[in-house]
Amino acid sequence: MGTRRPRVTDWRLVVQSRLDRVRADLAALGPPDPLDLESQQWREVARQEAAVVDDMINREESRLKTVASWWSGWHIERAWRSLHEAEIAVVAAGDGFLGRLPGLKARVAENLDEDDPRRVALEELRPGEFPLSIEREIVVDALRASFDKSDFAHAGSRALRNKLIAASVVLFVVNTLLGVIGWTQPGWIPMCVGSERLPTVCPSGKAAAGADVWLIQVLGAFGAILSAVVLLLRRRPSLSPYVMIGYQATIKILLGAALAVIGILALGAGVTTGLIGVASQAALLLWAVILGYSQQIATRLLDSYTDRVMDQARPLPRLEGQR
């Protein structure tokens, strides 16, 4: 099995641009001072970490290894962690890093709480207050803490993505089994609804048919797609290397199909007698769509949790009215 070149993706473009900036900053430092061994060490760390980043974003792998890397996310997270270390090393290698304090403080404030001692120490730092080596340590410690929190959030985003994929696979298998059973054994999963006062109606007509379960699932999925469109419209942009919205939409669609089947079974069992009456085939199909859309009640909690995870991974400015 041959190797394949890595695809051009958003995270690779961002990492590459920041890697180019690191190398430009490193070159701008000029020739190293032979007597400043600490600066030389930081420059060497920056070069080594930059080489690791370059390898991660340009590495060629076989298709099997590409899938494994995509699932584990190790190449993405290794690239970001090495990039962060390279950025820290470039800052620490120069003597004029205190001139970058406003930008450094803003970057640290994105990830560390206001009462974090490392953030407090950086914000209270005044040039010339301490020896250069101590000031360098304060800056490096604050940056590392900020980047570590961001990197851990990336790992949390990947874990959530993998859970969404696993749940989608389970829902897909369940829906497929229900459809196959309904197709091969019509009536085993009754999709017809009737009562003493109303005639019996089925999704495909007056009698049970093999396509009933599939039809209900398709209509339930259609109802779920409507809620997925709403999700797309209200979704804020994200700079995270893991984009969740496609997996969230998949969960909604598959869950909508399953809930439509369960809801129609409940109607046929008389659970809603006296509350809901299905007098025609059109009404039954409409209820399948409504039941598919109803998955929004359950997945709204998932959407809120995903928003929190993504905001931690790549924090964005708060919207007006948010606290």
Side-chain angles (χ1 to χ4, degrees):
M1 185 179 295
T3 59
R4 54 177 300 191
R5 294 188 62 82
R7 295 185 301 111
V8 177
T9 53
D10 291 344
W11 77 267
R12 281 190 171 90
L13 292 175
V14 174
V15 170
Q16 182 67 63
S17 65
R18 287 176 60 170
L19 178 61
D20 294 339
R21 192 183 309 167
V22 165
R23 286 172 170 162
D25 290 344
L26 190 60
L29 293 177
D33 184 354
L35 300 178
D36 191 351
L37 297 180
E38 187 175 1
S39 177
Q40 294 181 37
Q41 291 174 350
W42 282 115
R43 289 171 187 245
E44 183 61 25
V45 169
R47 294 189 189 96
Q48 292 176 357
E49 296 296 340
V52 172
V53 176
D54 197 48
D55 178 53
M56 289 298 102
I57 60 180
N58 295 303
R59 171 179 295 233
E60 296 183 4
E61 294 181 328
S62 66
R63 293 186 179 275
L64 183 59
K65 288 185 177 180
T66 299
V67 173
S69 297
W70 170 81
W71 177 262
S72 66
W74 73 272
H75 61 303
I76 297 178
E77 291 164 33
R78 179 68 187 276
W80 276 106
R81 289 175 185 271
S82 294
L83 176 64
H84 290 159
E85 285 297 323
E87 290 176 335
I88 293 171
V90 167
V91 171
D95 295 335
F97 61 86
L98 292 178
R100 300 186 179 187
L101 272 181
L104 296 177
K105 290 178 180 179
R107 176 172 289 185
V108 169
E110 289 180 351
N111 294 310
L112 298 186
D113 297 331
E114 294 181 358
D115 58 349
D116 189 291
R118 293 159 296 190
R119 175 178 171 181
V120 172
L122 180 65
E123 292 180 343
E124 294 180 351
L125 181 62
R126 299 294 180 268
E129 183 178 2
F130 302 104
L132 185 61
S133 59
I134 295 179
E135 292 176 339
R136 179 183 281 120
E137 290 299 324
I138 292 175
V139 171
V140 169
D141 194 36
L143 281 176
R144 275 184 174 158
S146 176
F147 284 145
D148 283 347
K149 189 169 183 180
S150 175
D151 292 334
F152 291 146
H154 284 173
S157 300
R158 172 180 49 79
L160 176 59
R161 182 204 65 180
N162 291 351
K163 290 177 182 178
L164 292 178
I165 294 173
S168 298
V169 171
V170 172
L171 285 172
F172 177 80
V173 171
V174 170
N175 281 326
T176 302
L177 288 175
L178 291 175
V180 170
I181 292 173
W183 180 264
T184 56
Q185 301 293 335
W188 277 27
I189 305 177
M191 293 287 98
C192 299
V193 178
S195 65
E196 296 179 357
R197 299 182 180 180
L198 297 174
T200 298
V201 293
C202 299
S204 56
K206 295 183 179 180
D212 285 351
V213 175
W214 290 119
L215 180 58
I216 292 298
Q217 287 180 334
V218 169
L219 292 174
F222 174 71
I225 289 175
L226 298 179
S227 69
V229 171
V230 175
L231 174 69
L232 290 172
L233 294 176
R234 61 176 289 270
R235 175 64 61 225
R236 299 173 64 195
S238 174
L239 298 178
S240 171
Y242 302 107
V243 180
M244 300 294 182
I245 192 166
Y247 305 110
Q248 291 174 256
T250 302
I251 288 285
K252 289 177 180 291
I253 294 170
L254 294 172
L255 186 60
L259 288 181
V261 173
I262 295 173
I264 297 301
L265 285 174
L267 291 176
V271 175
T272 59
T273 300
L275 298 175
I276 299 175
V278 179
S280 65
Q281 180 186 7
L284 180 61
L285 299 180
L286 178 61
W287 269 110
V289 176
I290 295 173
L291 290 166
Y293 186 86
S294 68
Q295 51 71 38
Q296 181 66 13
I297 299 174
T299 57
R300 185 164 185 172
L301 295 175
L302 174 62
D303 295 339
S304 298
Y305 176 71
T306 302
D307 287 343
R308 292 196 300 271
V309 171
M310 299 306 292
D311 285 345
Q312 290 175 0
R314 295 292 291 174
L316 293 171
R318 293 184 182 272
L319 295 174
E320 184 177 355
Q322 286 187 341
R323 295 184 178 179

